[in-house]
Short mmCIF file of all heavy atoms in Angstrom, two decimals:
data_model
loop_
_atom_site.label_atom_id
_atom_site.label_comp_id
_atom_site.label_asym_id
_atom_site.label_seq_id
_atom_site.Cartn_x
_atom_site.Cartn_y
_atom_site.Cartn_z
N PRO A 27 1.36 14.35 7.39
CA PRO A 27 0.54 13.44 8.20
C PRO A 27 1.01 13.25 9.62
O PRO A 27 0.18 13.09 10.51
CB PRO A 27 0.71 12.08 7.51
CG PRO A 27 1.03 12.49 6.09
CD PRO A 27 1.84 13.76 6.16
N ILE A 28 2.39 13.39 9.83
CA ILE A 28 2.82 13.29 11.22
C ILE A 28 2.32 14.46 12.01
O ILE A 28 1.85 14.25 13.22
CB ILE A 28 4.42 13.34 11.21
CG1 ILE A 28 4.92 12.18 10.46
CG2 ILE A 28 4.94 13.30 12.65
CD1 ILE A 28 6.48 12.12 10.36
N VAL A 30 -0.51 15.94 11.57
CA VAL A 30 -1.87 15.66 11.88
C VAL A 30 -2.01 14.75 13.05
O VAL A 30 -2.89 14.98 13.96
CB VAL A 30 -2.53 15.05 10.59
CG1 VAL A 30 -3.89 14.51 10.88
CG2 VAL A 30 -2.56 16.06 9.41
N LEU A 31 -1.22 13.75 13.07
CA LEU A 31 -1.29 12.76 14.19
C LEU A 31 -0.98 13.44 15.53
O LEU A 31 -1.64 13.29 16.47
CB LEU A 31 -0.32 11.61 13.99
CG LEU A 31 -0.26 10.64 15.12
CD1 LEU A 31 -1.57 9.89 15.35
CD2 LEU A 31 0.86 9.58 14.93
N SER A 39 -5.38 14.19 24.44
CA SER A 39 -4.90 14.03 25.90
C SER A 39 -5.35 15.29 26.67
O SER A 39 -5.77 15.18 27.81
CB SER A 39 -3.45 13.81 25.86
OG SER A 39 -2.84 14.65 25.01
N MET A 42 -9.00 14.92 27.41
CA MET A 42 -9.35 14.00 28.49
C MET A 42 -9.06 14.67 29.83
O MET A 42 -9.89 14.57 30.79
CB MET A 42 -8.42 12.73 28.41
CG MET A 42 -8.96 11.75 27.42
SD MET A 42 -7.65 10.52 26.99
CE MET A 42 -7.82 9.45 28.27
N PHE A 43 -8.02 15.44 29.92
CA PHE A 43 -7.57 16.10 31.22
C PHE A 43 -8.64 17.10 31.57
O PHE A 43 -9.10 17.24 32.67
CB PHE A 43 -6.27 16.74 31.02
CG PHE A 43 -5.85 17.60 32.11
CD1 PHE A 43 -5.68 17.22 33.39
CD2 PHE A 43 -5.63 19.03 31.85
CE1 PHE A 43 -5.41 18.07 34.43
CE2 PHE A 43 -5.25 19.90 32.86
CZ PHE A 43 -5.17 19.45 34.13
N ALA A 46 -12.02 15.54 32.59
CA ALA A 46 -11.91 15.01 33.97
C ALA A 46 -11.91 16.08 35.03
O ALA A 46 -12.45 15.95 36.10
CB ALA A 46 -10.73 14.16 34.09
N GLN A 47 -11.16 17.30 34.71
CA GLN A 47 -11.18 18.38 35.73
C GLN A 47 -12.69 18.95 35.84
O GLN A 47 -12.97 19.36 37.03
CB GLN A 47 -10.27 19.50 35.18
CG GLN A 47 -8.77 19.19 35.24
CD GLN A 47 -8.31 19.34 36.70
OE1 GLN A 47 -8.57 20.17 37.47
NE2 GLN A 47 -7.47 18.36 37.08
N PRO A 51 -14.94 15.66 41.28
CA PRO A 51 -15.17 16.54 42.50
C PRO A 51 -13.95 17.24 42.85
O PRO A 51 -12.92 17.08 42.32
CB PRO A 51 -15.61 15.48 43.57
CG PRO A 51 -14.92 14.21 43.16
CD PRO A 51 -14.83 14.27 41.64
N ARG A 53 -12.33 18.44 46.54
CA ARG A 53 -12.36 18.61 48.01
C ARG A 53 -10.95 18.67 48.49
O ARG A 53 -10.17 17.74 48.49
CB ARG A 53 -13.12 17.43 48.64
CG ARG A 53 -14.55 17.45 48.42
CD ARG A 53 -15.25 16.32 49.13
NE ARG A 53 -16.39 15.85 48.42
CZ ARG A 53 -16.43 14.94 47.39
NH1 ARG A 53 -15.25 14.21 47.28
NH2 ARG A 53 -17.53 14.56 46.73
N LYS A 58 -4.27 16.11 52.37
CA LYS A 58 -4.13 15.77 51.03
C LYS A 58 -3.14 16.64 50.31
O LYS A 58 -2.48 16.19 49.29
CB LYS A 58 -5.55 16.01 50.35
CG LYS A 58 -6.12 14.94 49.51
CD LYS A 58 -7.34 15.43 48.91
CE LYS A 58 -8.31 14.48 48.43
NZ LYS A 58 -9.54 15.17 48.00
N GLN A 59 -2.91 17.84 50.80
CA GLN A 59 -2.00 18.78 50.17
C GLN A 59 -0.55 18.36 50.40
O GLN A 59 0.41 18.82 49.70
CB GLN A 59 -2.23 20.20 50.78
CG GLN A 59 -3.58 20.80 50.42
CD GLN A 59 -3.54 21.67 49.24
OE1 GLN A 59 -2.49 21.88 48.66
NE2 GLN A 59 -4.78 22.05 48.76
N PRO A 61 3.04 16.12 50.64
CA PRO A 61 3.55 15.09 49.81
C PRO A 61 3.39 13.72 50.38
O PRO A 61 3.30 13.58 51.70
CB PRO A 61 5.09 15.39 49.78
CG PRO A 61 5.20 16.80 50.29
CD PRO A 61 3.95 17.10 51.10
N TYR A 62 3.18 12.70 49.63
CA TYR A 62 3.01 11.33 50.17
C TYR A 62 4.29 10.69 50.59
O TYR A 62 5.13 10.55 49.67
CB TYR A 62 2.26 10.48 49.13
CG TYR A 62 2.10 9.01 49.61
CD1 TYR A 62 1.09 8.79 50.55
CD2 TYR A 62 2.93 8.07 49.16
CE1 TYR A 62 0.93 7.48 51.02
CE2 TYR A 62 2.77 6.78 49.68
CZ TYR A 62 1.74 6.48 50.57
OH TYR A 62 1.59 5.29 51.08
N GLU A 63 4.43 10.35 51.83
CA GLU A 63 5.67 9.64 52.28
C GLU A 63 5.22 8.57 53.18
O GLU A 63 5.81 8.44 54.30
CB GLU A 63 6.56 10.67 52.95
CG GLU A 63 7.21 11.59 51.92
CD GLU A 63 8.49 12.22 52.36
OE1 GLU A 63 8.95 11.85 53.52
OE2 GLU A 63 9.01 13.07 51.69
N SER A 64 4.35 7.72 52.77
CA SER A 64 3.87 6.55 53.50
C SER A 64 3.48 6.89 54.93
O SER A 64 3.71 6.17 55.86
CB SER A 64 5.01 5.48 53.57
OG SER A 64 5.46 5.26 52.34
N HIS A 70 11.71 17.62 54.66
CA HIS A 70 12.25 18.79 53.92
C HIS A 70 11.86 18.63 52.43
O HIS A 70 11.17 17.65 52.09
CB HIS A 70 13.72 18.84 54.03
CG HIS A 70 14.44 17.50 53.68
ND1 HIS A 70 14.51 17.11 52.38
CD2 HIS A 70 14.99 16.53 54.42
CE1 HIS A 70 15.12 15.89 52.33
NE2 HIS A 70 15.37 15.57 53.60
N ASP A 71 12.19 19.61 51.69
CA ASP A 71 11.90 19.58 50.25
C ASP A 71 12.55 18.42 49.62
O ASP A 71 13.60 17.98 50.03
CB ASP A 71 12.41 20.89 49.70
CG ASP A 71 11.79 21.23 48.35
OD1 ASP A 71 10.66 21.67 48.33
OD2 ASP A 71 12.44 20.96 47.31
N ALA A 72 11.84 17.82 48.55
CA ALA A 72 12.44 16.66 47.92
C ALA A 72 13.71 17.01 47.00
O ALA A 72 14.52 16.17 46.81
CB ALA A 72 11.34 15.98 47.06
N ARG A 73 13.69 18.22 46.59
CA ARG A 73 14.76 18.55 45.52
C ARG A 73 16.00 18.92 46.22
O ARG A 73 16.24 20.14 46.52
CB ARG A 73 14.19 19.76 44.65
CG ARG A 73 13.03 19.35 43.80
CD ARG A 73 12.37 20.54 43.26
NE ARG A 73 11.12 20.19 42.53
CZ ARG A 73 10.16 21.07 42.41
NH1 ARG A 73 10.30 22.29 42.74
NH2 ARG A 73 9.03 20.64 41.78
N PHE A 76 21.42 14.89 44.60
CA PHE A 76 21.33 13.45 44.36
C PHE A 76 22.59 12.95 43.74
O PHE A 76 23.53 13.68 43.49
CB PHE A 76 20.03 13.12 43.50
CG PHE A 76 19.92 13.85 42.28
CD1 PHE A 76 20.69 13.42 41.09
CD2 PHE A 76 19.17 15.01 42.15
CE1 PHE A 76 20.58 14.13 39.98
CE2 PHE A 76 19.05 15.70 40.95
CZ PHE A 76 19.73 15.27 39.91
N PHE A 87 25.99 8.42 27.99
CA PHE A 87 24.93 8.19 26.96
C PHE A 87 25.09 9.22 25.85
O PHE A 87 25.01 8.76 24.66
CB PHE A 87 23.60 8.35 27.65
CG PHE A 87 22.47 8.52 26.68
CD1 PHE A 87 21.97 7.45 25.91
CD2 PHE A 87 21.89 9.80 26.39
CE1 PHE A 87 21.04 7.63 24.96
CE2 PHE A 87 20.96 9.93 25.44
CZ PHE A 87 20.48 8.84 24.71
N LEU A 94 26.81 6.78 17.87
CA LEU A 94 26.01 5.71 17.24
C LEU A 94 25.25 6.36 16.12
O LEU A 94 25.08 5.67 15.06
CB LEU A 94 25.07 5.23 18.28
CG LEU A 94 24.44 3.84 18.06
CD1 LEU A 94 25.51 2.82 18.10
CD2 LEU A 94 23.41 3.59 19.06
N TYR A 98 24.26 5.34 11.50
CA TYR A 98 23.00 5.17 10.70
C TYR A 98 23.19 5.67 9.21
O TYR A 98 22.91 4.82 8.27
CB TYR A 98 21.83 5.74 11.32
CG TYR A 98 21.28 4.94 12.47
CD1 TYR A 98 21.71 5.15 13.77
CD2 TYR A 98 20.37 4.07 12.27
CE1 TYR A 98 21.24 4.43 14.79
CE2 TYR A 98 19.88 3.26 13.24
CZ TYR A 98 20.23 3.43 14.60
OH TYR A 98 19.76 2.63 15.60
N ALA A 105 25.05 0.52 1.91
CA ALA A 105 24.16 -0.32 1.11
C ALA A 105 24.03 0.29 -0.30
O ALA A 105 24.17 -0.40 -1.32
CB ALA A 105 22.78 -0.46 1.72
N ASN A 108 27.16 -0.29 -2.35
CA ASN A 108 27.33 -1.63 -2.72
C ASN A 108 26.35 -2.06 -3.77
O ASN A 108 26.69 -2.93 -4.64
CB ASN A 108 27.30 -2.59 -1.55
CG ASN A 108 28.61 -2.65 -0.79
OD1 ASN A 108 29.63 -3.18 -1.31
ND2 ASN A 108 28.58 -2.15 0.44
N ARG A 109 25.14 -1.62 -3.67
CA ARG A 109 24.11 -2.07 -4.55
C ARG A 109 24.18 -1.51 -5.93
O ARG A 109 23.89 -2.19 -6.88
CB ARG A 109 22.66 -1.77 -3.95
CG ARG A 109 22.31 -2.72 -2.85
CD ARG A 109 20.77 -2.92 -2.75
NE ARG A 109 20.61 -3.68 -1.55
CZ ARG A 109 20.09 -3.17 -0.36
NH1 ARG A 109 19.86 -1.85 -0.35
NH2 ARG A 109 19.98 -3.88 0.66
N PHE A 132 33.79 0.69 3.86
CA PHE A 132 33.75 -0.36 4.95
C PHE A 132 34.84 -0.07 5.95
O PHE A 132 34.63 -0.02 7.14
CB PHE A 132 33.82 -1.66 4.33
CG PHE A 132 33.64 -2.77 5.32
CD1 PHE A 132 32.39 -2.96 6.06
CD2 PHE A 132 34.69 -3.61 5.74
CE1 PHE A 132 32.27 -3.93 7.00
CE2 PHE A 132 34.58 -4.61 6.67
CZ PHE A 132 33.32 -4.75 7.28
N TYR A 146 35.22 3.31 24.94
CA TYR A 146 34.38 2.48 25.70
C TYR A 146 35.27 1.80 26.85
O TYR A 146 34.92 1.79 27.94
CB TYR A 146 33.69 1.45 24.88
CG TYR A 146 32.90 0.35 25.56
CD1 TYR A 146 31.72 0.73 26.29
CD2 TYR A 146 33.27 -0.96 25.65
CE1 TYR A 146 31.04 -0.21 27.01
CE2 TYR A 146 32.55 -1.90 26.35
CZ TYR A 146 31.39 -1.48 27.01
OH TYR A 146 30.68 -2.39 27.66
N TRP A 150 35.06 2.28 30.81
CA TRP A 150 34.92 1.07 31.74
C TRP A 150 35.99 1.12 32.80
O TRP A 150 35.72 0.89 34.01
CB TRP A 150 34.93 -0.14 30.98
CG TRP A 150 34.54 -1.42 31.67
CD1 TRP A 150 34.78 -1.69 32.98
CD2 TRP A 150 33.87 -2.56 31.15
NE1 TRP A 150 34.34 -2.91 33.31
CE2 TRP A 150 33.72 -3.52 32.24
CE3 TRP A 150 33.39 -2.89 29.93
CZ2 TRP A 150 33.12 -4.72 32.01
CZ3 TRP A 150 32.77 -4.08 29.72
CH2 TRP A 150 32.64 -5.06 30.80
N PHE A 155 30.74 2.86 34.53
CA PHE A 155 29.56 1.93 34.53
C PHE A 155 29.55 1.18 35.87
O PHE A 155 28.68 0.36 36.04
CB PHE A 155 29.84 0.87 33.44
CG PHE A 155 30.12 1.49 32.04
CD1 PHE A 155 31.02 0.92 31.23
CD2 PHE A 155 29.41 2.65 31.70
CE1 PHE A 155 31.33 1.55 30.08
CE2 PHE A 155 29.71 3.23 30.50
CZ PHE A 155 30.65 2.63 29.66
N TRP A 157 28.28 0.64 39.45
CA TRP A 157 26.99 1.11 40.13
C TRP A 157 26.78 0.39 41.30
O TRP A 157 26.40 -0.79 41.29
CB TRP A 157 25.86 1.06 39.15
CG TRP A 157 24.68 1.85 39.53
CD1 TRP A 157 23.91 1.65 40.58
CD2 TRP A 157 24.34 3.13 38.94
NE1 TRP A 157 22.94 2.66 40.66
CE2 TRP A 157 23.21 3.62 39.67
CE3 TRP A 157 24.77 3.79 37.84
CZ2 TRP A 157 22.56 4.76 39.34
CZ3 TRP A 157 24.14 4.99 37.52
CH2 TRP A 157 23.04 5.42 38.27
N LEU B 37 -5.95 12.12 8.31
CA LEU B 37 -6.87 12.24 9.38
C LEU B 37 -7.66 10.92 9.55
O LEU B 37 -7.91 10.46 10.71
CB LEU B 37 -7.85 13.40 9.10
CG LEU B 37 -8.41 14.14 10.26
CD1 LEU B 37 -7.37 14.69 11.13
CD2 LEU B 37 -9.25 15.24 9.69
N PHE B 98 -14.85 10.44 36.56
CA PHE B 98 -15.56 11.02 37.56
C PHE B 98 -14.80 11.11 38.87
O PHE B 98 -15.29 11.44 39.95
CB PHE B 98 -16.93 10.36 37.81
CG PHE B 98 -17.84 10.67 36.69
CD1 PHE B 98 -18.06 9.71 35.75
CD2 PHE B 98 -18.48 11.86 36.57
CE1 PHE B 98 -18.98 9.91 34.66
CE2 PHE B 98 -19.30 12.06 35.48
CZ PHE B 98 -19.54 11.16 34.49
N GLU B 100 -11.72 12.57 41.38
CA GLU B 100 -10.97 13.86 41.59
C GLU B 100 -9.59 13.74 41.05
O GLU B 100 -8.83 12.80 41.41
CB GLU B 100 -10.93 14.18 43.11
CG GLU B 100 -10.25 15.48 43.31
CD GLU B 100 -10.26 15.96 44.80
OE1 GLU B 100 -10.75 15.19 45.65
OE2 GLU B 100 -9.91 17.11 45.01
N ASP B 101 -9.21 14.68 40.19
CA ASP B 101 -7.86 14.79 39.63
C ASP B 101 -7.10 15.83 40.48
O ASP B 101 -7.31 17.02 40.17
CB ASP B 101 -7.87 15.06 38.18
CG ASP B 101 -6.51 14.98 37.58
OD1 ASP B 101 -5.49 14.79 38.35
OD2 ASP B 101 -6.37 15.11 36.27
N PHE B 102 -6.40 15.47 41.43
CA PHE B 102 -5.99 16.37 42.47
C PHE B 102 -4.64 16.87 42.21
O PHE B 102 -3.63 16.15 41.86
CB PHE B 102 -6.01 15.56 43.87
CG PHE B 102 -5.63 16.36 44.96
CD1 PHE B 102 -6.49 17.37 45.44
CD2 PHE B 102 -4.45 16.21 45.63
CE1 PHE B 102 -6.17 18.14 46.49
CE2 PHE B 102 -4.11 17.00 46.74
CZ PHE B 102 -4.95 17.95 47.21
N ALA B 105 -0.45 20.70 46.89
CA ALA B 105 0.02 22.10 46.98
C ALA B 105 1.49 22.32 46.71
O ALA B 105 1.97 23.37 46.29
CB ALA B 105 -0.24 22.55 48.47
N HIS B 106 2.23 21.33 46.87
CA HIS B 106 3.73 21.46 46.83
C HIS B 106 4.37 21.23 45.42
O HIS B 106 5.50 21.25 45.22
CB HIS B 106 4.45 20.50 47.81
CG HIS B 106 3.96 19.13 47.55
ND1 HIS B 106 4.63 18.23 46.77
CD2 HIS B 106 2.83 18.40 47.99
CE1 HIS B 106 3.98 17.06 46.75
NE2 HIS B 106 2.91 17.22 47.49
N THR B 113 1.19 19.02 35.03
CA THR B 113 0.15 18.70 34.07
C THR B 113 0.82 18.40 32.70
O THR B 113 0.37 17.53 31.96
CB THR B 113 -0.80 19.87 33.86
OG1 THR B 113 -1.36 20.19 35.13
CG2 THR B 113 -1.96 19.48 32.97
N PHE B 124 1.84 8.43 21.20
CA PHE B 124 1.00 8.26 20.04
C PHE B 124 1.79 8.63 18.82
O PHE B 124 1.67 8.04 17.76
CB PHE B 124 -0.21 9.20 20.10
CG PHE B 124 -1.35 8.53 20.79
CD1 PHE B 124 -1.97 9.21 21.93
CD2 PHE B 124 -1.90 7.38 20.40
CE1 PHE B 124 -3.09 8.74 22.55
CE2 PHE B 124 -3.00 6.87 20.94
CZ PHE B 124 -3.59 7.48 22.06
N ALA B 128 3.07 7.29 13.96
CA ALA B 128 2.93 7.87 12.63
C ALA B 128 3.64 7.06 11.55
O ALA B 128 3.18 7.06 10.39
CB ALA B 128 3.53 9.33 12.67
N ILE B 153 0.24 5.92 8.72
CA ILE B 153 -0.23 7.32 8.71
C ILE B 153 0.66 8.15 7.76
O ILE B 153 0.23 8.94 6.95
CB ILE B 153 -0.27 7.86 10.17
CG1 ILE B 153 -1.40 7.12 10.88
CG2 ILE B 153 -0.52 9.31 10.09
CD1 ILE B 153 -1.49 7.54 12.30
N TYR B 163 13.09 8.52 13.31
CA TYR B 163 11.98 9.23 13.95
C TYR B 163 11.38 8.54 15.10
O TYR B 163 11.14 9.09 16.15
CB TYR B 163 10.92 9.41 12.81
CG TYR B 163 9.60 9.93 13.33
CD1 TYR B 163 9.45 11.28 13.56
CD2 TYR B 163 8.50 8.98 13.68
CE1 TYR B 163 8.26 11.70 14.02
CE2 TYR B 163 7.35 9.56 14.04
CZ TYR B 163 7.17 10.91 14.31
OH TYR B 163 6.00 11.40 14.86
N TRP B 180 10.16 15.34 38.85
CA TRP B 180 10.64 16.56 39.35
C TRP B 180 9.49 17.44 39.83
O TRP B 180 9.51 17.99 40.93
CB TRP B 180 11.48 17.27 38.27
CG TRP B 180 12.08 18.57 38.77
CD1 TRP B 180 11.58 19.78 38.50
CD2 TRP B 180 13.24 18.76 39.50
NE1 TRP B 180 12.37 20.73 39.14
CE2 TRP B 180 13.41 20.06 39.72
CE3 TRP B 180 14.20 17.82 40.06
CZ2 TRP B 180 14.43 20.57 40.40
CZ3 TRP B 180 15.25 18.31 40.78
CH2 TRP B 180 15.46 19.72 40.98
N ASN B 183 7.75 16.99 43.32
CA ASN B 183 8.42 17.36 44.55
C ASN B 183 8.16 16.46 45.70
O ASN B 183 7.76 16.86 46.80
CB ASN B 183 7.88 18.82 44.96
CG ASN B 183 8.83 19.55 45.87
OD1 ASN B 183 9.85 18.94 46.30
ND2 ASN B 183 8.47 20.68 46.26
N ASN B 184 8.40 15.19 45.39
CA ASN B 184 8.09 14.14 46.34
C ASN B 184 9.33 13.30 46.28
O ASN B 184 9.88 13.00 45.16
CB ASN B 184 6.80 13.33 46.01
CG ASN B 184 6.62 12.14 46.83
OD1 ASN B 184 7.54 11.32 47.07
ND2 ASN B 184 5.43 11.92 47.22
N LYS B 185 9.87 12.69 47.35
CA LYS B 185 11.08 11.96 47.34
C LYS B 185 11.04 10.67 46.54
O LYS B 185 11.84 10.34 45.77
CB LYS B 185 11.59 11.59 48.78
CG LYS B 185 12.07 12.93 49.40
CD LYS B 185 12.26 12.71 50.92
CE LYS B 185 12.39 14.02 51.57
NZ LYS B 185 11.25 14.33 52.43
N TYR B 186 9.85 9.97 46.69
CA TYR B 186 9.68 8.82 45.86
C TYR B 186 9.73 9.06 44.40
O TYR B 186 10.23 8.46 43.58
CB TYR B 186 8.33 8.12 46.21
CG TYR B 186 8.28 7.53 47.62
CD1 TYR B 186 7.28 7.84 48.48
CD2 TYR B 186 9.20 6.57 48.04
CE1 TYR B 186 7.24 7.29 49.78
CE2 TYR B 186 9.12 6.00 49.31
CZ TYR B 186 8.10 6.36 50.15
OH TYR B 186 7.97 5.85 51.35
N LEU B 188 10.86 11.73 42.79
CA LEU B 188 12.13 12.19 42.29
C LEU B 188 13.06 11.00 42.05
O LEU B 188 13.71 10.87 40.94
CB LEU B 188 12.76 13.20 43.18
CG LEU B 188 14.06 13.87 42.71
CD1 LEU B 188 13.74 14.62 41.43
CD2 LEU B 188 14.59 14.79 43.70
N ILE B 199 17.68 5.89 29.16
CA ILE B 199 18.78 6.28 28.18
C ILE B 199 19.85 5.20 28.13
O ILE B 199 20.43 5.00 27.13
CB ILE B 199 19.32 7.62 28.67
CG1 ILE B 199 20.02 7.60 29.95
CG2 ILE B 199 18.40 8.77 28.55
CD1 ILE B 199 20.75 8.90 30.32
N GLY B 206 19.54 0.78 19.84
CA GLY B 206 20.05 1.31 18.63
C GLY B 206 20.95 0.40 17.87
O GLY B 206 20.94 0.28 16.71
N LEU B 207 21.84 -0.24 18.70
CA LEU B 207 22.81 -1.20 18.14
C LEU B 207 22.16 -2.41 17.51
O LEU B 207 22.51 -2.91 16.50
CB LEU B 207 23.88 -1.65 19.12
CG LEU B 207 24.96 -0.65 19.43
CD1 LEU B 207 25.76 -1.03 20.53
CD2 LEU B 207 25.80 -0.50 18.14
N ALA B 215 21.69 -4.36 6.80
CA ALA B 215 21.28 -5.40 5.84
C ALA B 215 20.23 -4.89 4.95
O ALA B 215 20.28 -5.30 3.72
CB ALA B 215 20.76 -6.60 6.67
N ALA B 216 19.26 -4.10 5.43
CA ALA B 216 18.16 -3.66 4.56
C ALA B 216 18.58 -2.40 3.74
O ALA B 216 18.04 -2.20 2.64
CB ALA B 216 16.96 -3.36 5.38
N GLY B 217 19.59 -1.64 4.18
CA GLY B 217 20.00 -0.47 3.50
C GLY B 217 18.96 0.63 3.49
O GLY B 217 18.93 1.42 2.51
N GLU B 274 2.50 10.87 43.03
CA GLU B 274 1.57 11.98 43.48
C GLU B 274 0.41 12.17 42.51
O GLU B 274 -0.43 13.04 42.72
CB GLU B 274 2.34 13.36 43.46
CG GLU B 274 3.39 13.40 44.68
CD GLU B 274 2.72 13.64 45.92
OE1 GLU B 274 1.53 14.07 45.93
OE2 GLU B 274 3.25 13.31 47.04
N MET B 278 -7.34 11.43 36.16
CA MET B 278 -7.18 11.31 34.77
C MET B 278 -5.63 11.43 34.41
O MET B 278 -5.21 10.70 33.46
CB MET B 278 -7.96 12.42 34.06
CG MET B 278 -7.94 12.31 32.54
SD MET B 278 -8.38 10.74 31.93
CE MET B 278 -10.12 10.86 31.83
N TYR B 354 19.12 -2.67 40.95
CA TYR B 354 19.38 -1.49 40.14
C TYR B 354 20.84 -1.66 39.50
O TYR B 354 21.06 -1.30 38.38
CB TYR B 354 19.27 -0.16 40.84
CG TYR B 354 19.10 0.95 39.84
CD1 TYR B 354 17.94 1.08 39.14
CD2 TYR B 354 20.10 1.74 39.54
CE1 TYR B 354 17.81 2.04 38.19
CE2 TYR B 354 20.10 2.76 38.59
CZ TYR B 354 18.91 2.87 37.90
OH TYR B 354 18.78 3.81 36.97
N ASP B 355 21.81 -2.13 40.39
CA ASP B 355 23.15 -2.24 39.82
C ASP B 355 23.21 -3.29 38.73
O ASP B 355 23.95 -3.25 37.77
CB ASP B 355 24.10 -2.50 40.96
CG ASP B 355 23.80 -3.73 41.67
OD1 ASP B 355 22.67 -3.97 42.01
OD2 ASP B 355 24.75 -4.56 41.88
N TRP B 362 25.33 -1.63 30.29
CA TRP B 362 26.58 -1.07 29.86
C TRP B 362 27.58 -2.14 29.58
O TRP B 362 28.47 -1.93 28.68
CB TRP B 362 27.07 -0.08 30.81
CG TRP B 362 26.28 1.16 30.92
CD1 TRP B 362 25.43 1.46 31.89
CD2 TRP B 362 26.26 2.30 30.08
NE1 TRP B 362 24.80 2.67 31.69
CE2 TRP B 362 25.32 3.23 30.51
CE3 TRP B 362 26.91 2.53 28.90
CZ2 TRP B 362 25.00 4.38 29.87
CZ3 TRP B 362 26.65 3.73 28.20
CH2 TRP B 362 25.74 4.67 28.75
N PRO B 367 28.36 -4.29 24.53
CA PRO B 367 29.36 -5.10 23.74
C PRO B 367 28.65 -6.10 22.79
O PRO B 367 29.08 -6.24 21.69
CB PRO B 367 30.14 -5.81 24.76
CG PRO B 367 29.91 -5.04 26.07
CD PRO B 367 28.59 -4.40 25.96
N TRP B 384 28.22 -8.89 -0.59
CA TRP B 384 28.27 -7.97 -1.66
C TRP B 384 29.51 -8.07 -2.53
O TRP B 384 29.54 -8.03 -3.72
CB TRP B 384 28.15 -6.51 -1.20
CG TRP B 384 26.72 -6.10 -0.97
CD1 TRP B 384 25.64 -6.46 -1.71
CD2 TRP B 384 26.22 -5.36 0.13
NE1 TRP B 384 24.49 -5.95 -1.16
CE2 TRP B 384 24.84 -5.32 -0.08
CE3 TRP B 384 26.79 -4.68 1.23
CZ2 TRP B 384 24.03 -4.57 0.90
CZ3 TRP B 384 25.96 -4.02 2.13
CH2 TRP B 384 24.55 -3.98 1.91
N GLU B 431 35.11 -6.75 40.57
CA GLU B 431 35.53 -5.58 39.80
C GLU B 431 36.25 -4.54 40.70
O GLU B 431 37.21 -3.89 40.30
CB GLU B 431 34.38 -5.04 39.02
CG GLU B 431 34.80 -3.97 38.08
CD GLU B 431 33.61 -3.14 37.67
OE1 GLU B 431 32.78 -2.88 38.62
OE2 GLU B 431 33.47 -2.73 36.60
#
Side-chain angles (χ1 to χ4, degrees):
Chain A
I28 299 181
V30 171
L31 174 64
S39 47
M42 278 164 81
F43 168 63
Q47 285 286 320
R53 289 183 210 93
K58 232 185 200 173
Q59 297 266 351
Y62 177 76
E63 288 198 7
S64 310
H70 52 74
D71 199 79
R73 294 163 188 160
F76 52 82
F87 164 76
L94 202 66
Y98 281 92
N108 278 296
R109 279 210 189 103
F132 184 68
Y146 175 68
W150 189 327
F155 309 138
W157 197 288
Chain B
L37 209 57
F98 290 101
E100 179 173 10
D101 187 354
F102 182 70
H106 52 93
T113 307
F124 272 125
I153 290 174
Y163 170 80
W180 182 261
N183 199 0
N184 173 314
K185 288 169 196 109
Y186 292 125
L188 186 60
I199 63 175
L207 279 171
E274 289 286 340
M278 188 49 90
Y354 201 74
D355 61 311
W362 291 103
W384 278 320
E431 186 198 40

